[in-house]
Amino acid sequence: MQPSDYDSPPGGGSLPTSPIAAPALKVQKSRHTLNDVPPLYQSEASLPYRRSHPSAASLYASTLSPPGSRSQSPIGRPASRIASGSVFGAGSNNALALAAGAGDSPGDPLNLILRAFVPHVAVYTSEDTDILLKEKGFNRGLWELLRPFGERVQGKVIIRDSNGSSRTYEDYSIHFTRFGEGIVHPEPITAGLRSSQVPRTNGVSEKSGEPGRGQPRQGIAIPDVEAVVDRHLRYAEESFFSLPQSPTNHGLDIDVPSPYYALYLRRLLSGLPLTPHETFAHPVACVIAISSRNQTPIETLRRLYTESHTGDKRLPNWVDPEFLRYYVLVHEEERDDITRSMSLFDQMKRNLGLHCHLLRIRGTQSVATDDDSIPLPRSEWMSASEELVDIRRSDEDQEDFEDPTRYIFESDATAIRTFIREMVTQSIIPTMERHVSVWNDQVASRRRGLAGRFVGLTKKWGFGSGSRTSFAGPSSNSNYDTLGFYRHDAPEAIMRKLADYAFMLRDWKLAHSTYDLLRSDFNNDKAWRYHAAANEMAAISLLIMPQNLSAKSRAETIDTAFEAAFYSYITRCSAPYGALRCLSLGLELLRLRGGSSIDEAAKWGIRLLESKIIGPIGDALIKERLAVCYASKQGMGTRQWGGRRRKSALWSVLGAEAWVAQSKYIQAQRCLNEARKTYSELPSGNGIDKFSYASAFVLGIGDRLNQNLEASELDDESESGDQSDDVDEESEALDMRGRRISTLGMPGGTTGAGLETAPLKAQLDKSEEERGKQDKGEAKDDFG
């Protein structure tokens, strides 16, 4: 075997050189830096795949960066968001406020948590309003128009906590939902034991429902989330192979997760169903809207209120019907008289109160060619089933599929932003603060007192009832209904809403104390789904709180809560979605704590993999995150004692194996290159050379990866040859088309300077020479 031109000096190697793309060695002279390669989103028109189906590009806007553009290894970069300290214990600055600055990173897991558990505002409109919005191009009504604007409230939002202290947030958001949709009814407690016997295999449950339109009966379906991320990965890989040169590394950053992992978490937290055991999706307010075309406006508003409160459209009796009603008059600028609308708006305030708004928008549909039109951003928090429907429609009907991007007038956008800010700052936030104060004084304080603790003991030991409670159900003096829920006016339901409101208002201390009180109540009542959800949010709110956590307190509180939540979700409730959400969020928050919490985070990530509740996409993504988690553990001294870099490299290799099995070769290449780099930087300089089985395992993955990468490139070149005429007419960027270049792991230039490959050891040189002889003495790359 001929030595490579970029071998390092002897003694600096550790692992066989990374499995870079097969043709990489043949094109070194024409290598380009990242500055020479246009970003993927700027190359849309020049890609044959996207040019044949340009309308589908907007469906994948959240993951347009190449799959190899971000590395998951944080080694070599300072951990700006992770608390540093002793590698053997809790960090000295674990009390830093982790939530501070989270809004600056849209894909940051903590930011996703803060933006997922926010107030939900239902939208209920009259028929004339729906007709007006359809004429503007929004077939799903006012909800479709408002939803993107609610995901970032303009300006600063001031919130007062339970102690009276005010805090200012610039990243606050709300979620708009359609009134009466996404309801998941509870199961009777008599079916609780039978439900635990439902089989689970890789996230697919017999009770999870079929993916498609709307929410299944059990809420969010894990297969839908997996399918959405899988389609994003396929689209990116197909587009990635069409690039003339491929940027494969934009630097190492511990605070920037993979765009596909961020998408996985976002879809996991999107479209929260309306369930009795948690009230995050219960409407905090309801927008009741009519248009200026309505002939009987006041009567229509009263009818809509009655329907939403006591009529056929009312919500189940485990939802508090006394939520805020916010009345909106939609005025059409071109056709209706503003004087009449102003007079009607004054009449609304006199009859219905001050929670009213006059929304002035244009009634005509905006198009891209209008001077003052702007694109309406696609909602980042649509449910997985909703996005999957759009993706499948684009795949099935590529010829007639229209770009889902909508355009609105800039004046309309300004009016909507003003309306949402006014509603949030003047109505929703003050109403929530008032409810929290009242519920905390009248309900929670009694439960915290001596009398409340005595009542809790009475429930636990069954005093005052005929006998001790059986395992199948609650005691006779319990507020837990046999249909599987607490009524909205029960103290337990009010306290759960108090805790959720405090969490949404970012009062972590009050939220945690209330969740902690509820855990014992739900356990005594055998309300297992309530019990699991309370334990989950108690642990999450405690991890977000700015306070130190010793290893002992973490074991007594966090580990106990996660264990109880996971056991109840899986064994007692057969709710794999709840278990997945609980452990995935716990993994990220523990990782941010730093110190010994990183090992605890990895422990729960491994527990999640062993449970087999996630599919192949989630399995590979969690393995990547475990590599990130272990790499985040900072060692001490020149030998990096206490670090976990070998474990990080191991999980990178396992992630590469998982991606290769799914034909996601670019993702696998990135993981394997990271493993090689991590092994090569170990202080011992040995890597896994002395472990023959491990070396052979990594070489086998590299061989399969190179073979598939080369086959994909050959197929891509043949397709580009058939379409060469079209490409020349479409863009000059493909005139000098060469073979795809992988800069990751290659030396020289500005890109690969820090990623030089390590030399092969003697025992591997011998095996490579034998392979070279079988291939007529010419090696394709470092893996043969």
Side-chain angles (χ1 to χ4, degrees):
M1 175 180 178
Q2 296 179 356
S4 172
D5 295 337
Y6 49 87
D7 278 349
S8 300
S14 58
L15 178 71
T17 313
S18 62
I20 57 178
L25 294 180
K26 303 177 183 179
V27 292
Q28 290 186 47
K29 295 182 179 180
S30 61
R31 184 170 65 249
H32 294 253
T33 65
L34 283 175
N35 295 331
D36 299 326
V37 182
L40 191 59
Y41 64 87
Q42 294 179 4
S43 308
E44 290 182 18
S46 61
L47 298 180
Y49 176 79
R50 293 191 175 181
R51 185 170 49 80
S52 63
H53 193 193
S55 298
S58 61
L59 298 177
Y60 308 96
S62 60
T63 55
L64 279 182
S65 56
S69 63
R70 289 180 174 91
S71 171
Q72 78 269 27
S73 173
I75 296 177
R77 285 292 183 95
S80 58
R81 289 292 304 281
I82 295 181
S84 60
S86 171
V87 297
F88 301 108
S92 58
N93 61 343
N94 259 358
L96 59 88
L98 295 178
D104 299 334
S105 303
D108 182 76
L110 179 57
N111 178 58
L112 295 178
I113 295 173
L114 297 180
R115 295 179 62 194
F117 300 107
V118 296
H120 283 56
V121 179
V123 179
Y124 192 37
T125 59
S126 61
E127 295 80 1
D128 52 281
T129 308
D130 293 336
I131 295 174
L132 172 61
L133 269 298
K134 285 182 180 179
E135 294 176 358
K136 285 184 66 66
F138 298 95
N139 295 325
R140 290 182 283 183
L142 183 64
W143 163 75
E144 183 181 7
L145 176 63
L146 297 180
R147 181 168 61 164
F149 293 96
E151 294 171 0
R152 187 67 179 240
V153 178
Q154 187 181 31
K156 298 180 180 180
V157 177
I158 301 176
I159 301 177
R160 296 178 61 187
D161 59 18
S162 56
N163 296 323
S165 302
S166 297
R167 296 182 182 273
T168 303
Y169 300 99
E170 297 183 3
D171 59 343
Y172 204 75
S173 61
I174 60 174
H175 288 173
F176 285 100
T177 61
R178 285 194 282 193
F179 183 79
E181 289 197 353
I183 299 176
V184 178
H185 294 281
E187 293 183 354
I189 59 175
T190 55
L193 297 179
R194 292 195 300 269
S195 64
S196 63
Q197 305 300 323
V198 178
R200 305 180 311 274
T201 303
N202 289 336
V204 181
S205 171
E206 291 182 2
K207 301 176 61 178
S208 62
E210 295 295 329
R213 292 182 178 273
Q215 293 285 355
R217 188 178 185 275
Q218 292 298 314
I220 299 175
I222 299 177
D224 286 358
V225 180
E226 299 259 340
V228 167
V229 180
D230 177 69
R231 193 60 191 88
H232 276 256
L233 281 164
R234 284 167 48 198
Y235 184 86
E237 294 243 344
E238 292 168 0
S239 303
F240 192 56
F241 279 114
S242 301
L243 282 172
Q245 295 90 19
S246 59
T248 55
N249 189 272
H250 289 170
L252 306 179
D253 192 348
I254 194 173
D255 292 326
V256 181
S258 163
Y260 307 104
Y261 181 73
L263 176 67
Y264 188 85
L265 273 187
R266 189 182 299 114
R267 290 296 168 262
L268 198 65
L269 300 174
S270 300
L272 295 178
L274 197 66
T275 57
H277 64 275
E278 61 181 16
T279 63
F280 290 111
H282 291 205
V284 172
C286 179
V287 173
I288 298 179
I290 61 171
S291 72
S292 53
R293 300 177 180 179
N294 197 290
Q295 300 300 319
T296 56
I298 301 299
E299 290 76 5
T300 302
L301 290 173
R302 287 174 175 168
R303 176 178 59 84
L304 294 176
Y305 170 81
T306 304
E307 290 177 355
S308 65
H309 189 266
T310 58
D312 296 336
K313 300 292 185 179
R314 69 182 184 276
L315 297 176
N317 56 0
W318 37 265
V319 178
D320 187 2
E322 300 299 330
F323 46 82
L324 173 68
R325 265 69 174 189
Y326 198 89
Y327 302 95
V328 176
L329 173 61
V330 182
H331 171 73
E332 185 181 0
E333 291 282 14
E334 289 95 347
R335 301 179 184 177
D336 293 331
D337 184 11
I338 184 60
T339 304
R340 178 180 177 275
S341 296
M342 292 293 292
S343 175
L344 175 59
F345 181 64
D346 293 336
Q347 187 179 358
M348 288 172 54
K349 290 190 291 185
R350 287 195 302 270
N351 288 272
L352 304 172
L354 298 178
H355 298 295
C356 301
H357 188 85
L358 175 62
L359 180 61
R360 302 173 60 176
I361 60 175
R362 298 173 62 177
T364 57
Q365 183 174 355
S366 176
V367 293
T369 56
D370 291 338
D371 294 336
D372 57 343
S373 68
I374 58 175
L376 182 67
R378 188 171 172 83
S379 174
E380 297 180 3
W381 292 92
M382 65 174 61
S383 65
S385 58
E386 181 185 353
E387 183 175 6
L388 194 58
V389 168
D390 293 338
I391 291 176
R392 287 173 175 171
R393 188 186 300 120
S394 69
D395 292 339
E396 295 171 358
D397 193 9
Q398 295 189 10
E399 297 273 334
D400 300 330
F401 182 76
E402 297 181 359
D403 189 346
T405 304
R406 297 289 181 265
Y407 291 87
I408 62 172
F409 298 103
E410 191 171 359
S411 58
D412 294 348
T414 303
I416 294 173
R417 292 191 190 99
T418 304
F419 154 61
I420 292 177
R421 172 167 178 77
E422 179 180 319
M423 179 178 64
V424 170
T425 57
Q426 299 181 15
S427 297
I428 292 180
I429 297 298
T431 300
M432 294 179 67
E433 292 173 346
R434 184 172 63 253
H435 283 318
V436 166
S437 177
V438 172
W439 294 336
N440 190 29
D441 292 340
Q442 297 182 0
V443 182
S445 60
R446 295 179 182 178
R447 179 64 181 82
R448 295 188 185 100
L450 181 61
R453 295 180 183 275
F454 180 76
V455 171
L457 290 174
T458 302
K459 283 186 176 183
K460 181 177 181 180
W461 298 106
F463 298 132
S465 59
S467 62
R468 281 288 302 273
T469 58
S470 64
F471 182 81
S475 60
S476 59
N477 61 347
S478 170
N479 293 319
Y480 190 50
D481 196 283
T482 56
L483 295 178
F485 61 87
Y486 292 94
R487 291 183 57 88
H488 67 85
D489 53 355
E492 293 84 355
I494 294 176
M495 289 180 62
R496 173 67 207 214
K497 185 179 288 188
L498 164 64
D500 289 346
Y501 273 34
F503 192 95
M504 290 186 287
L505 293 175
R506 304 185 183 183
D507 190 350
W508 318 118
K509 185 176 181 179
L510 176 61
H512 170 70
S513 62
T514 309
Y515 288 130
D516 191 54
L517 279 176
L518 288 171
R519 292 192 297 171
S520 59
D521 292 345
F522 295 149
N523 181 65
N524 297 335
D525 292 341
K526 307 296 188 296
W528 299 125
R529 198 177 291 265
Y530 285 85
H531 179 256
N535 277 280
E536 174 193 3
M537 298 311 299
I540 290 175
S541 57
L542 181 59
L543 286 173
I544 300 178
M545 283 175 59
Q547 73 174 33
N548 290 312
L549 281 177
S550 64
K552 181 180 179 180
S553 62
R554 186 179 63 240
E556 294 175 351
T557 55
I558 303 297
D559 292 353
T560 302
F562 278 141
E563 183 64 39
F566 185 76
Y567 179 79
S568 294
Y569 274 134
I570 293 296
T571 306
R572 292 164 170 163
C573 306
S574 186
Y577 165 75
L580 172 58
R581 188 183 75 176
C582 172
L583 294 193
S584 58
L585 299 186
L587 185 154
E588 295 299 332
L589 292 176
L590 282 168
R591 184 184 69 86
L592 290 177
R593 282 276 171 175
S596 60
S597 297
I598 292 179
D599 293 320
E600 292 296 318
K603 180 190 75 173
W604 290 113
I606 296 173
R607 180 76 174 275
L608 183 58
L609 293 177
E610 293 174 346
S611 66
K612 300 296 183 183
I613 62 176
I614 53 179
I617 296 294
D619 181 83
L621 290 172
I622 294 298
K623 288 175 180 177
E624 280 193 5
R625 292 306 289 177
L626 284 173
V628 175
C629 190
Y630 278 123
S632 303
K633 188 71 175 291
Q634 299 296 319
M636 298 189 68
T638 57
R639 306 287 293 183
Q640 293 296 310
W641 296 109
R644 300 290 187 269
R645 292 192 288 180
R646 283 187 179 272
K647 290 186 176 182
S648 174
L650 169 64
W651 283 107
S652 293
V653 173
L654 295 178
E657 182 190 27
W659 287 124
V660 169
Q662 302 174 58
S663 301
K664 304 297 187 294
Y665 305 120
I666 306 301
Q667 290 290 100
Q669 179 192 42
R670 179 169 65 90
C671 289
L672 210 54
N673 285 341
E674 286 294 334
R676 183 217 53 84
K677 180 180 181 294
T678 303
Y679 279 127
S680 67
E681 294 180 347
L682 290 176
S684 62
N686 292 326
I688 59 172
D689 294 341
K690 296 182 179 180
F691 303 92
S692 57
Y693 179 80
S695 299
F697 179 74
V698 176
L699 285 172
I701 297 177
D703 287 338
R704 282 186 292 164
L705 179 58
N706 278 332
Q707 292 171 6
N708 288 292
L709 284 174
E710 188 174 41
S712 299
E713 289 201 3
L714 292 176
D715 294 341
D716 186 64
E717 285 189 350
S718 62
E719 292 177 3
S720 64
D722 297 338
Q723 300 176 359
S724 59
D725 295 337
D726 297 336
V727 172
D728 290 338
E729 294 177 3
E730 188 69 24
S731 173
E732 296 180 0
L734 300 182
D735 291 345
M736 303 285 297
R737 182 179 180 84
R739 302 196 61 162
R740 186 180 58 83
I741 302 172
S742 177
T743 58
L744 188 57
M746 295 181 63
T750 59
T751 305
L755 299 174
E756 294 183 1
T757 56
L760 301 177
K761 295 297 182 182
Q763 62 269 31
L764 296 178
D765 289 340
K766 183 177 179 180
S767 62
E768 290 299 326
E769 288 177 2
E770 294 176 356
R771 293 188 182 186
K773 292 178 181 179
Q774 295 177 1
D775 293 340
K776 298 181 181 181
E778 182 180 353
K780 297 178 182 178
D781 61 8
D782 298 318
F783 277 90

